[in-house]
Amino acid sequence: MMQSGGTPIFVLKEGTRRERGKGAQFNNIAAAKAVADAVRSTLGPRGMDKMLVDSLGDVVITNDGVTILKEIDIEHPAAKMLVEVAKTQDEEAGDGTTTAVILAGELLKRAEDLIEQNIHPTVIASGYRLASEKAREVLEKIATKISVKDMDTLKKVAMTAMSSKSASGHKDLLSDISVKAVSTVAEQRADDSYFVDDDNIQIVKKQGGSIADTELVDGIIVDKERVHPGMPAQVDNAKIALVDAALEVKKTEIDAKIEITDPTQLQAFLSEEEDMLKRMVETVKKSGATMLFSQKGIDDLAQHYLAKADIYAVRRVKKSDMEKLAKATGGKIVTKLDELSKDDLGYAKLAYEKKIGDDSMTFVTGCKNPKAVSILIRGGTEHVVDEVERSLEDSTSVVAVAIEDGKVVTGGGSSATEIALALRDHASTVGGREQIAIEAFADAMESIPRTLAENAGLDPIDLLIELRKEHKKGNKNAGINVFAGKVSDMKKENVIEPIRVGSQAISSATDAAVMILRIDDVIAAKSGGAPGGKGPGAGEGDEGAGEDF
Ligand code: ADP
Ligand code: MG
């Protein structure tokens, strides 16, 4: 509140909470650290899983940083910024979400110490920015090139991303599937670089069977069976009609009363309906289609005629599936059935119905557009199927970014250690107070190998000393071998990651840390998440904390 001539002036609405100075900073940092702590134990192949139960009692079991943070309800504004870090990381690199959040938390934790030592947050922020740039330079320098044809390395990249997931028991099969899927859909650009459109990889989940039954299908899977058993169960060289129209006779909206006085009239009325359906099927047949996907319904009688015409028909197909079919087969979705012509048809070499678990599904394979593939996920329970899906999303993304960027680095904390070493060297050339911030950044980088060691139940101090020693000797690939409990060459251990996972984690963690550091005043409306209220480490007794206006 402000005083003016003895009368208090209320600038902000009553009940607005305001927090300033170090109080605001420490409170924000505490909240961000709490988020990092929530995911820390999941990092790495020996990290633990989390079971999340929502208010309705639905359960998600996962190890995926971004999934955990999306599922839990987070109120604190600074904590929310860390959730954003995970989301950005997921969108940009598809993996490394836990790493990015841990890094942001560590940067802030170390900044807190520096603030205590009276180093101004803007100095820390600029030191962090310098360090982040340098770190990404180091990554570029230690990266090795790979090509789209290097299936071997790509598989290692997929395996590494998968190794921390519970589906890792099947990582061999799932990595093969990911690499094949991504390299099939990768498109070469004019400048020889590659582009991968994730939308070309369809993921279909079907509970039942085992993870080992998960398969890659060259084409599209529609989770529907043919409408009539009299239809062929397999169609070679399928010419595919895609219609967003019903093969039904529309019932009149108003209740019309038809008076029939003579049995022949009834016959005429019924055969009129029959004729209409017959004509619809005739239109489909005349177009040359041997397969029909309808977004709407297909009348029983129409089904009968379609079966007689040897046409494989599917009804009530989802709009998104129709669109995928159109893209894959080169067909056009027709909204008026009588306008269906030969030119609208799509093509697939082989389409068939196959029983998966209890249901039959329609497989459309060998499509006109060869860049359309599907992964059919199988697994004992819904939770298993969902976690396999998340693992596959991670592994296909890392393979995709590895192909797009054409560069990989070694994981297991090896690149992070190399960066820390280079940063400490660099810091001395910068000097001043920023030097201290750059050194803090280096320490934060080392939280990756440290956490990997901790989560594997190993002694982090011994391993970190050993790791530094190896890197000083020039062993750039030395990292934490979480299985053998020692420092090993990560290249030999096949722990390979796309460069983008690391560089994106560094840049988004830095952005978030810097943004949070620069805040020295939090003004929150009454109903919003109260800073200094429920947030962890609410700044009791801190200067300027929780002032009421
Ligand atoms: P994120 O969400 O950050 O991807 P993960 O739980 O997937 O978190 O763990 C990734 C970390 O685990 C990376 O630092 C990666 O290098 C490391 N890692 C993966 N496989 C191995 C391995 N076999 N040995 C040591 N570290 C590994
Ligand atoms: Mg991962």
Side-chain angles (χ1 to χ4, degrees):
M1 82 182 73
M2 296 178 198
Q3 293 287 134
S4 162
T7 326
I9 300 174
F10 292 94
V11 180
L12 301 170
K13 211 169 150 184
E14 202 189 338
T16 303
R17 285 183 61 81
R18 182 166 185 189
E19 206 177 2
R20 284 184 290 188
K22 281 188 185 168
Q25 267 147 3
F26 289 161
N27 181 9
N28 281 339
I29 290 172
K33 278 199 305 194
V35 173
D37 283 340
V39 294
R40 187 185 304 277
S41 70
T42 68
L43 186 78
R46 300 198 59 191
M48 305 295 280
D49 291 347
K50 300 240 176 232
M51 182 191 262
L52 309 163
V53 187
D54 70 9
S55 53
L56 298 171
D58 283 338
V59 174
V60 177
I61 298 169
T62 186
N63 170 296
D64 196 43
V66 71
T67 308
I68 298 168
L69 295 177
K70 272 188 197 160
E71 292 281 332
I72 53 182
D73 254 337
I74 288 181
E75 255 205 14
H76 198 289
K80 278 187 181 158
M81 287 166 81
L82 246 65
V83 179
E84 289 306 312
V85 168
K87 285 187 188 161
T88 311
Q89 179 74 20
D90 194 39
E91 278 157 24
E92 299 291 324
D95 190 23
T97 54
T98 315
T99 306
V101 172
I102 292 179
L103 211 51
E106 287 289 325
L107 287 173
L108 286 165
K109 185 172 133 195
R110 284 160 213 283
E112 191 177 20
D113 296 342
L114 300 183
I115 295 171
E116 299 254 34
Q117 293 169 37
N118 275 327
I119 298 180
H120 199 272
T122 54
V123 176
I124 306 172
S126 84
Y128 277 5
R129 286 229 173 278
L130 286 174
S132 159
E133 228 168 84
K134 182 79 192 165
R136 278 173 292 146
E137 268 172 47
V138 175
L139 266 185
E140 289 286 342
K141 224 163 58 200
I142 58 178
T144 46
K145 284 200 174 133
I146 60 154
S147 92
V148 66
K149 293 189 193 74
D150 193 350
M151 298 298 211
D152 226 31
T153 312
L154 290 174
K155 187 172 171 187
K156 289 173 190 165
V157 169
M159 297 261 260
T160 302
M162 201 101 70
S163 63
S164 55
K165 299 284 182 278
S166 54
S168 68
H170 297 270
K171 67 179 175 184
D172 203 44
L173 168 76
L174 299 178
S175 301
D176 269 335
I177 289 178
S178 306
V179 173
K180 272 193 208 129
V182 177
S183 47
T184 308
V185 305
E187 291 166 47
Q188 194 167 15
R189 284 189 170 144
D191 62 353
D192 268 0
S193 69
Y194 280 84
F195 168 71
V196 178
D197 183 358
D198 289 354
D199 288 348
N200 283 330
I201 303 174
Q202 182 200 21
I203 291 188
V204 180
K205 298 184 277 185
K206 198 86 199 168
Q207 191 184 325
S210 105
I211 299 181
D213 302 325
T214 299
E215 59 174 318
L216 179 68
V217 175
D218 137 50
I220 301 285
I221 305 168
V222 179
D223 192 358
K224 293 261 173 188
E225 55 186 7
R226 68 205 151 125
V227 287
H228 194 287
M231 291 174 175
Q234 179 183 325
V235 186
D236 291 297
N237 293 317
K239 300 198 181 58
I240 303 167
L242 303 167
V243 302
D244 179 12
L247 272 79
E248 287 165 339
V249 177
K250 256 214 198 102
K251 302 283 180 283
T252 40
E253 295 281 330
I254 22 169
D255 265 333
K257 198 165 163 193
I258 302 166
E259 210 156 294
I260 291 165
T261 49
D262 181 319
T264 55
Q265 275 178 333
L266 177 67
Q267 199 52 47
F269 176 72
L270 289 178
S271 55
E272 172 63 16
E273 246 195 52
E274 200 176 316
D275 276 352
M276 279 167 81
L277 291 167
K278 217 175 189 169
R279 277 201 300 276
M280 286 178 182
V281 174
E282 231 10 81
T283 315
V284 176
K285 200 172 152 189
K286 236 176 58 206
S287 73
T290 53
M291 204 168 186
L292 168 72
F293 287 92
S294 169
Q295 208 172 316
K296 306 257 166 71
I298 302 177
D299 186 275
D300 287 355
L301 208 54
Q303 292 178 15
H304 166 79
Y305 288 128
L306 284 164
K308 263 174 91 176
D310 269 344
I311 295 172
Y312 183 128
V314 185
R315 68 173 165 180
R316 302 202 192 287
V317 179
K318 276 194 298 195
K319 187 166 183 257
S320 57
D321 282 348
M322 291 296 283
E323 282 159 4
K324 282 192 191 111
L325 282 166
K327 196 170 172 198
T329 66
K332 214 165 92 201
I333 301 171
V334 174
T335 43
K336 282 202 183 111
L337 189 62
D338 26 321
E339 285 174 9
L340 179 73
S341 82
K342 187 170 134 268
D343 299 334
D344 300 319
L345 302 182
Y347 174 82
K349 202 159 184 282
L350 176 67
Y352 55 91
E353 187 184 85
K354 188 173 164 188
K355 207 165 163 112
I356 304 292
D358 290 337
D359 306 309
S360 292
M361 298 171 123
T362 299
F363 289 65
V364 181
T365 66
C367 297
K368 195 174 191 172
N369 173 8
K371 298 205 179 305
V373 295
S374 302
I375 300 174
L376 175 62
I377 301 177
R378 306 301 316 282
T381 72
E382 198 190 328
H383 299 136
V384 171
V385 173
D386 287 347
E387 187 70 351
V388 171
E389 181 184 25
R390 285 189 287 270
S391 307
L392 278 171
E393 275 167 2
D394 277 7
S395 61
T396 50
S397 312
V398 289
V399 173
V401 297
I403 290 177
E404 284 181 356
D405 297 348
K407 276 183 189 163
V408 292
V409 294
T410 51
S414 60
S415 303
T417 311
E418 191 65 21
I419 288 170
L421 198 72
L423 283 179
R424 289 199 184 98
D425 277 349
H426 180 63
S428 53
T429 67
V430 174
R433 297 199 145 198
E434 271 160 4
Q435 171 175 355
I436 303 174
I438 296 172
E439 276 160 3
F441 197 107
D443 295 342
M445 288 306 306
E446 279 182 336
S447 66
I448 304 305
R450 188 177 336 107
T451 309
L452 285 171
E454 273 167 12
N455 288 350
L458 308 169
D459 186 290
I461 298 176
D462 288 351
L463 285 174
L464 229 59
I465 292 171
E466 168 87 15
L467 205 52
R468 283 184 193 161
K469 207 171 81 194
E470 288 299 316
H471 279 264
K472 281 207 181 104
K473 273 198 263 171
N475 294 331
K476 287 193 195 59
N477 301 327
I480 306 285
N481 184 334
V482 293
F483 299 109
K486 57 176 190 180
V487 169
S488 319
D489 187 309
M490 288 294 120
K491 194 162 186 184
K492 289 197 188 114
E493 297 296 326
N494 299 329
V495 183
I496 313 278
E497 292 168 347
I499 188 168
R500 203 187 302 177
V501 169
S503 62
Q504 180 65 45
I506 291 169
S507 63
S508 39
T510 310
D511 285 348
V514 165
M515 202 185 281
I516 292 173
L517 278 178
R518 294 178 62 95
I519 300 169
D520 75 340
D521 198 351
V522 179
I523 304 166
K526 198 177 179 183
S527 56
K534 289 177 251 165
E540 283 154 43
D542 282 340
E543 98 187 64
E547 245 179 274
D548 259 316
F549 263 67

